[in-house]
Amino acid sequence: MNRRRMLKLFSLPALGAALGGFVGLRSGHNPYYSGPVSDHYDGVKFFNPSGQNGKGFKDLVRWRLADGKEEWPDEFPSPFRDRPPQRVEGAGLRVALVGHASFLIQTAGLNMLTDPVWSERCSPVSFAGPKRVNPPGIAFGDLPPIDAVLLTHNHYDHLDIDTLRRLVAAHPLRIVTPLGNDAILREAGIAAPIFAHDWGDRVRVSDAVHVHVEPAQHWSARGVLDRQRALWAAFVLETPAGAIYHVGDTGFGDGAQFSAIRAKHGEPLLAILPIGAFEPRWFMRDQHMNPDDAVRAFVATGARQALGHHWGTFKLTDEGIERPPEALVRALAEHGVAPERFRPLRPGEVWEAAAGA
């Protein structure tokens, strides 16, 4: 094996998350959660009931050694920069992309962050790993008071301990996350109220806002022995403005999870859907949607508006930096959806819905 291929295989994205997770399949211990067996928990590991639970180690090696990876620029600055208001009251709704899967959602007098990452890298270490190519769309010092953090799962591009420590030190917030992630946070010394819940649970955030923990088709791992030991999820926010469906990461599967959202919650006002980190398709299909999947998911939910995220900040997979929005344009045309109904946001970009919209 030549030096170039060795570097491909042993780059940090492979070792820091994917490799560690695959090795963890051999362990029979769950350090994060102990609970009853269910249709997505076997007593040790969580799993997707669809049976699509990601690829194995040999497939990982095949991907890392393959050619066809498009280069990213060192910098991809956003033209937007947000300085949010302190609060958005009543049935108003303001949603701003910080970057990747990090959003500030403001409604009903509450300020909520999803999967907040202000760090330079999404990695187990600070000196290597995927590095952001644009600054956060909201400067940390410009944040309004944060009331709640919603964490979809424990991958490093979604659960960033350094950012959470900064947030907890500055804001009297609470954290809502799927089962098992509370143990990770407490072990890291995150001194905030943490509410860990299973799929199907409803969590009160305020008198006006509740969070529903809903299924997603993904997986979890932080290290070498913990693949699928903590649960992953999507969220539906029940608000005076309407339902907000937020997905951090998911594969499309058979699409049933999206139709189920519509059946359970009605047609959401807003769907926040990932559109990036999708190539090579043979490897990523089970865990990440591509833009065509995202449009089909949007249609299945019946949502009025969609915002695309999970692209253009951290290079995690093989596609070029602008491929997701380019593919989204084609997918919207193919499915007969007006482009303004599904916007691929850049960091610092804002979408607002007026009260009663």
Side-chain angles (χ1 to χ4, degrees):
M1 186 181 297
N2 62 34
R3 182 175 182 273
R4 178 168 170 266
R5 287 183 174 271
M6 285 289 288
L7 288 173
K8 281 185 179 181
L9 176 59
F10 293 107
S11 64
L12 196 72
L15 288 178
L19 176 56
F22 291 120
V23 174
L25 285 170
R26 299 179 181 178
S27 171
H29 172 62
N30 190 328
Y32 305 141
Y33 176 75
S34 176
V37 170
S38 73
D39 67 348
H40 54 278
Y41 181 66
D42 66 8
V44 176
K45 294 187 301 180
F46 293 95
F47 58 91
N48 296 305
S50 66
Q52 296 172 310
N53 290 289
K55 302 296 184 183
F57 179 68
K58 289 182 180 179
D59 288 321
L60 170 67
V61 173
R62 174 187 162 196
W63 167 42
R64 297 308 304 170
L65 294 181
D67 293 322
K69 296 172 176 59
E70 294 187 64
E71 294 296 324
W72 275 34
D74 291 335
E75 296 183 352
F76 188 60
S78 171
F80 304 100
R81 187 76 165 180
D82 185 38
R83 289 179 173 81
Q86 289 294 290
R87 302 281 179 186
V88 172
E89 301 295 341
L93 172 63
R94 188 179 193 274
V95 180
L97 178 64
V98 178
H100 198 58
S102 306
F103 281 88
L104 172 64
I105 301 173
Q106 297 181 282
T107 188
L110 281 177
N111 297 324
M112 297 169 281
L113 287 172
T114 67
D115 294 348
V117 179
W118 263 260
S119 297
E120 280 298 299
R121 297 183 187 273
C122 56
S123 167
V125 295
S126 61
F127 56 83
K131 185 176 182 180
R132 66 188 322 135
V133 296
N134 39 54
I138 303 172
F140 192 87
D142 288 337
L143 282 172
I146 301 301
D147 304 298
V149 168
L150 310 180
L151 300 176
T152 60
H153 65 292
N154 69 14
H155 285 153
Y156 287 92
D157 56 322
H158 295 259
L159 194 161
D160 179 49
I161 293 296
D162 287 344
T163 294
L164 292 171
R165 286 174 176 152
R166 292 179 69 188
L167 285 168
V168 168
H171 304 274
L173 57 83
R174 70 196 76 176
I175 297 172
V176 178
T177 191
L179 296 174
N181 296 295
D182 52 329
I184 296 168
L185 298 173
R186 292 191 179 102
E187 178 67 23
I190 302 299
I194 303 169
F195 301 88
H197 287 270
D198 202 355
W199 293 348
D201 287 352
R202 181 175 182 260
V203 187
R204 179 187 177 277
V205 181
S206 74
D207 289 342
V209 176
H210 292 77
V211 174
H212 296 259
V213 183
E214 299 292 356
Q217 183 178 294
H218 201 54
W219 59 286
S220 65
R222 296 285 286 182
V224 297
L225 294 173
D226 67 345
R227 180 179 168 91
Q228 295 175 229
R229 269 49 175 186
L231 186 58
W232 49 94
F235 297 116
V236 172
L237 282 62
E238 179 187 326
T239 82
I244 304 167
Y245 178 40
H246 173 75
V247 182
D249 269 334
T250 191
F252 184 81
D254 62 4
Q257 63 185 316
F258 306 108
S259 301
I261 292 298
R262 186 176 190 167
K264 181 177 180 179
H265 300 284
E267 297 180 349
L269 168 67
L270 177 65
I272 304 174
L273 300 170
I275 63 170
F278 57 81
E279 292 289 358
R281 206 75 202 108
W282 67 266
F283 188 87
M284 293 296 165
R285 184 183 307 276
D286 290 352
Q287 55 195 318
H288 288 163
M289 295 193 295
N290 65 12
D292 185 74
D293 292 335
V295 173
R296 289 190 292 150
F298 172 53
V299 171
T301 65
R304 187 180 309 174
Q305 176 72 40
L307 303 177
H309 69 99
H310 208 270
W311 74 279
T313 296
F314 296 110
K315 180 171 174 39
L316 303 175
T317 52
D318 289 1
E319 75 274 6
I321 197 166
E322 296 190 80
R323 296 290 181 257
E326 292 170 354
L328 180 62
V329 169
R330 295 192 296 272
L332 291 170
E334 289 170 3
H335 292 279
V337 178
E340 62 270 17
R341 293 187 62 208
F342 198 140
R343 292 171 49 189
L345 295 192
R346 298 289 305 277
E349 196 169 1
V350 175
W351 179 83
E352 293 184 85

